[in-house]
């Protein structure tokens, strides 16, 4: 039996009914009723220092668990600060609920002060954006919000709760109990045709995309790849869904063309594309020639200039893969050796430079050193910058969601909050945020939140005193070096000002022991290392274009 007294009590009871255990928030005046209801609930309130990272944390909760993370802010400026987080969750398919306050709707005692049409602002950034207009509607609105946020394709939902509705006394309104929802499985006819196409192919490949990394599909996906023994590569956000140490792993398509992995892709006659989401930078460019593609996902393929599959398997990926596996069992006679020979070359080329002794270190060396320090279940959370390409190409993952990277909105500033969420959720695992000096400073104030939450978290800052990735693009396009450099604080002193530890890497052999000591010491620890980005041009432009004779 519920004993609600006012709208905000009912809202919080409805959130508890959904299993919510934490809310990330920067509260405002319009949230005070909700705050009071939260104070008396089982839900933990996690206060951040800016609304954007509250949303990044809530979205990452959704990414890690498959259940919506929740964030709460005030109206106007608090709500507009959520927009990048909403876009992050929308493009990244992360389930999230954003609750914002609003002035009363039945009267206007402060005229238009701080009033912005947040419902309209959020509409294009969310799956659903609704104002709560009556207390009695709260249970169904909340249930519907969670359902919409969670169902394929997952994403953010926004609810706006006006102050007077939050404060209104309410009779007992029953909550709506959630129930499990099973997605439909791909149709028999579609599965049979897909099996036919795969059996007719000489050189089939599997591509693992972003959606495949949703935790519930990992066991079926790994079993499928193991059983059919078709070599696979992944997109950036598909990393980890199948063991990267698998003898069938060919690499990660971090660039859209001309990388070593594309030597394999162009030799394939069929690609079974599992869970690819076209929000990612294209892993390869489909053209009139080249491999045919079977798209497999919960939702149909979106037809793009660079992605127009010839066949689709639409349905829950796990059970659909099991059925496809049964249809293929014992019948496959593809040319496995061809790709296994190529695999050696691809993986060797990608690993080149990883033992380079120079200082400042190259990106390849940093990737190698980080991999050496991180255990299999350690989590690396990347912000956005040049190093993301190097990590995507070179960092081998062994478990799902052990590299959190955003190749969808690709926003700077999310790496640290995403890492904080991972550290909060997995207190016993090693979590490392890797940020550029540009991206780190976009949400560095959250070091205070991380320290207050007593997280075990290491933050590695790659210092080039520049917006390195754009500086590189500028050079590749033949522009003058202009407008990309900046100064930095002394990162060790900066860390210490937050009461967290700081270390500087000062020699070529120092990164591994510094990171190890940072993890061993526990707590929040910031490590800064300078980076030599001359390899961007040498490898990603000169070497790759020479390799293709371009
Ligand atoms: C919020 C946001 N603003 C701008 C960009 C465009 N952008 C992409 S990478 C980058 C530079 C990143 O610099 P830094 O974090 O220092 O990483 P670096 O490439 O130097 O290693 C910029 C400005 C972006 N992706 N997100
Ligand atoms: Mg930089």
């Amino acid at each position: 039996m519920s004993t609600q007294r006012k709208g905000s009590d009912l809202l919080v009871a409805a959130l508890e009914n959904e299993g919510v255990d934490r809310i990330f928030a920067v509260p405002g005046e319009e949230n005070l009723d909700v705050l009071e209801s939260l104070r008396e609930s089982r839900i933990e309130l996690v206060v951040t220092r800016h609304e954007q990272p509250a949303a990044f944390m809530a979205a990452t909760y959704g990414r890690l668990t498959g259940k919506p993370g929740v964030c709460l802010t005030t109206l106007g400026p608090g709500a507009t600060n959520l927009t990048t987080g909403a876009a992050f969750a929308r493009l990244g398919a992360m389930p999230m609920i954003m609750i914002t306050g609003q002035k009363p709707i039945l009267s206007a005692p402060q005229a238009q002060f701080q009033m912005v049409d947040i419902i309209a602002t959020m509409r294009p950034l969310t799956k659903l954006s609704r104002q709560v207009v009556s207390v009695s509607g709260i249970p169904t609105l909340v249930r519907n919000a969670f359902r919409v946020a969670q169902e394929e394709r997952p994403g953010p939902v926004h609810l706006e709760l006006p102050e007077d509705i939050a404060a209104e006394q309410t009779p007992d309104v029953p909550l709506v109990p959630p129930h499990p929802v099973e997605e439909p499985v791909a149709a028999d006819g579609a599965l049979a045709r897909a099996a036919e196409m795969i059996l007719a192919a000489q050189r089939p490949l599997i591509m693992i995309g972003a959606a495949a990394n949703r935790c519930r599909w990992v066991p079926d996906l790994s079993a499928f790849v193991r059983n059919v023994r078709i070599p696979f590569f992944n997109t950036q956000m598909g990393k980890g869904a199948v063991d990267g140490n698998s003898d069938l792993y060919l690499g990660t398509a971090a660039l859209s063309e001309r990388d070593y992995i594309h030597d394999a892709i162009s030799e394939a006659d069929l690609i079974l594309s599992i869970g690819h989401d076209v929000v990612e930078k294209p892993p390869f460019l489909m053209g009139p020639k080249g491999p045919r593609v079977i798209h497999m996902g919960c939702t149909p393929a979106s037809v793009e200039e660079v992605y127009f599959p010839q066949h689709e398997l639409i349905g829950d990926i796990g059970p659909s893969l099991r059925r496809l596996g049964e249809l293929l069992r014992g019948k496959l006679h593809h040319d496995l050796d061809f790709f296994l020979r190529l695999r050696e070359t691809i993986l060797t080329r990608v690993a080149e430079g990883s033992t380079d002794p120079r200082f400042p270190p190259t990106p390849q060396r940093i990737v190698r050193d980080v991999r050496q320090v991180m255990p299999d279940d350690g989590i690396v959370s990347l912000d956005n910058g040049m190093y993301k390409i190097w990590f995507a190409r070179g960092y081998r993952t062994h478990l799902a969601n052990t590299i959190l990277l955003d190749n969808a909105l690709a926003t700077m500033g999310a790496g640290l909050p995403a890492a904080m969420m991972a550290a909060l959720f997995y207190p016993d695992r090693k979590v490392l945020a890797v940020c550029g000096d540009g991206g780190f400073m976009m949400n560095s104030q959250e070091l205070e939140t991380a320290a207050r939450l007593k997280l075990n978290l290491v933050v590695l800052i790659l210092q080039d005193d520049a917006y390195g990735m754009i500086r590189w693009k500028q050079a590749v396009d033949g522009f003058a070096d202009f407008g990309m450099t900046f100064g930095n604080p002394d990162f060790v002193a900066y860390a210490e000002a937050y009461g967290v530890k700081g270390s500087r890497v000062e020699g070529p052999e120092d990164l591994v022991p510094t990171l190890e000591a940072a993890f061993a010491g526990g707590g929040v620890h910031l490590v800064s290392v300078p980076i030599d980005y001359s390899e961007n041009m040498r490898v990603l432009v000169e070497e790759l274009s020479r390799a293709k004779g371009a």
Side-chain angles (χ1 to χ4, degrees):
M1 273 312 283
S2 50
T3 53
Q4 288 88 32
R5 288 167 292 122
K6 54 183 180 176
S8 60
D9 292 333
L10 190 56
L11 174 81
V12 170
L15 296 175
E16 284 182 326
N17 183 49
E18 298 291 337
V20 173
D21 50 9
R22 277 189 200 97
I23 293 186
F24 303 92
V26 178
E29 196 186 329
E30 288 67 25
N31 307 121
L32 289 177
D33 282 295
V34 175
L35 224 62
E36 177 59 14
S37 303
L38 279 174
R39 192 177 67 82
E40 296 187 335
S41 76
R42 295 191 303 274
I43 299 174
E44 181 193 351
L45 181 73
V46 178
V47 171
T48 58
R49 304 305 301 273
H50 189 289
E51 291 84 353
Q52 188 193 81
F56 287 152
M57 290 184 79
T60 304
Y61 177 95
R63 179 179 190 168
L64 293 174
T65 65
K67 294 187 298 182
V70 183
C71 54
L72 170 77
T73 75
T74 190
L75 77 175
T80 53
N81 272 352
L82 284 181
T83 50
T84 305
F88 174 73
R90 183 83 175 116
L91 268 64
M94 305 176 203
M96 169 168 76
I97 308 288
M98 298 176 289
I99 301 170
T100 60
Q102 189 51 284
K103 296 287 181 206
I105 43 173
L106 297 180
S107 63
Q110 293 190 356
Q112 301 283 316
F113 178 61
Q114 287 193 310
M115 283 193 58
V116 175
D117 187 347
I118 297 300
I119 298 289
T121 306
M122 287 295 183
R123 199 164 283 134
L125 301 173
T126 55
K127 293 177 80 178
L128 183 73
S129 175
R130 294 282 298 273
Q131 186 180 55
V132 182
V133 293
S134 76
V135 180
S136 60
I138 289 176
T140 40
L141 265 184
V142 170
R143 179 78 276 270
N144 195 48
F146 275 76
R147 189 177 164 132
V148 169
Q150 197 164 357
E151 72 193 7
E152 288 291 331
R153 176 180 183 272
V157 170
H158 168 238
L159 292 178
E160 180 181 73
L161 181 65
E163 231 182 315
D164 48 356
I165 306 289
E168 191 179 318
Q169 295 299 314
T170 165
D172 200 10
V173 186
L175 300 173
V176 185
H179 59 80
V181 177
E182 273 87 29
E183 305 266 347
V185 180
D188 287 343
L191 284 163
R193 240 176 84 209
E196 235 170 72
M197 287 170 78
I198 296 170
L199 291 173
Q202 295 296 306
R203 290 177 184 167
L205 278 183
I206 292 174
M207 178 173 86
I208 315 269
N213 223 337
R214 308 227 230 290
C215 347
R216 64 185 186 280
W217 288 321
V218 170
D220 281 322
L221 187 56
S222 303
F224 178 80
V225 172
R226 247 192 337 267
N227 293 337
V228 297
R229 290 199 60 72
I230 295 176
F232 72 96
F233 65 102
N234 46 251
T235 67
Q236 293 191 38
M237 289 177 83
K239 267 181 106 69
V242 171
D243 190 340
N245 260 349
S246 156
D247 60 343
L248 297 166
Y249 170 72
L250 296 181
T252 298
L255 306 174
S256 297
E257 53 185 336
R258 287 207 232 146
D259 205 345
Y260 297 112
I261 186 67
H262 297 103
D263 294 347
I265 297 170
S266 60
E267 295 292 342
D269 53 0
L270 182 79
I271 292 182
L272 175 61
S273 159
I274 305 178
H276 179 49
D277 192 326
V278 292
V279 292
E280 283 205 76
K281 190 186 277 185
F284 69 100
L285 308 176
M286 262 187 97
K289 288 191 239 138
R292 300 208 300 157
V293 172
I294 302 175
H295 171 86
M296 186 164 194
C298 275
T299 44
S302 153
V303 176
E304 305 285 339
E305 278 170 43
V306 293
Y307 190 69
F308 43 89
Q310 286 87 0
H311 183 50
E312 292 178 60
L313 289 175
I314 301 158
D316 195 345
I317 290 181
S320 303
L321 270 179
R322 262 180 268 144
R323 291 196 191 174
L324 184 61
E326 281 157 24
L327 294 176
L328 298 174
R329 194 191 308 265
K331 296 186 190 148
L332 277 157
H333 301 289
H334 52 291
D335 186 359
L336 181 58
D337 290 343
F338 176 81
F339 284 122
L340 293 187
R341 278 194 303 275
L342 253 182
R343 174 180 190 268
E344 291 299 310
T345 322
I346 295 169
L347 296 181
T348 312
R349 296 309 299 258
V350 169
E352 273 169 12
S354 60
T355 52
D356 192 306
R358 83 182 84 162
F359 192 82
T362 60
Q364 300 96 306
R365 176 69 194 268
I366 291 175
V367 170
R368 207 268 329 226
D369 285 3
V370 166
R371 185 64 277 186
Q372 194 178 323
V373 171
M374 298 304 284
D376 283 2
D377 71 348
I379 297 174
V380 172
S381 168
L382 301 181
D383 202 83
N384 270 280
M386 194 62 214
Y387 52 89
K388 190 178 81 175
I389 293 179
W390 292 102
F391 270 87
R393 288 173 95 230
Y395 189 84
R396 300 276 286 275
T397 46
H398 310 305
L399 293 171
N401 274 322
T402 50
I403 189 160
L404 300 177
L405 65 78
D406 163 24
N407 187 35
L409 185 65
T411 179
M412 293 163 76
L416 175 62
M420 286 165 57
M421 185 64 241
L424 196 58
F425 197 71
Y426 298 112
D428 300 328
R429 285 164 72 171
K430 289 199 167 94
V431 180
L432 177 75
V434 178
C435 305
D437 43 7
F440 171 72
M441 289 302 284
M442 288 198 178
N443 271 320
S444 64
Q445 77 284 348
E446 298 307 323
L447 283 179
E448 188 282 317
T449 309
R452 179 165 29 90
L453 294 173
K454 299 191 170 36
L455 298 181
N456 287 321
L457 174 66
V458 178
V459 182
L460 179 65
I461 301 177
L462 309 178
Q463 190 171 348
D464 66 340
D465 299 325
Y467 293 121
M469 181 163 196
I470 312 300
R471 193 181 197 191
W472 170 69
K473 286 254 164 84
Q474 193 177 45
V476 173
D477 291 350
F479 290 110
D481 185 14
F482 174 70
M484 298 295 167
T485 56
F486 45 69
N488 272 310
D490 172 336
F491 285 118
V492 174
Y494 189 72
E496 285 165 358
Y498 283 96
V500 307
K501 286 162 272 180
S503 308
R504 215 181 318 274
V505 174
E506 285 172 326
E509 304 306 322
D510 288 356
L511 181 57
V512 168
T514 307
L515 288 176
E516 280 171 348
F519 278 116
V524 181
H525 198 129
L526 201 137
V527 176
S528 87
V529 60
I531 185 165
D532 179 343
Y533 266 150
S534 58
E535 290 289 272
N536 295 340
M537 198 57 105
R538 192 190 67 77
V539 177
L540 299 180
V541 179
E542 289 159 14
E543 187 180 299
L544 291 183
S545 50
R546 230 189 350 259
K548 295 278 112 187

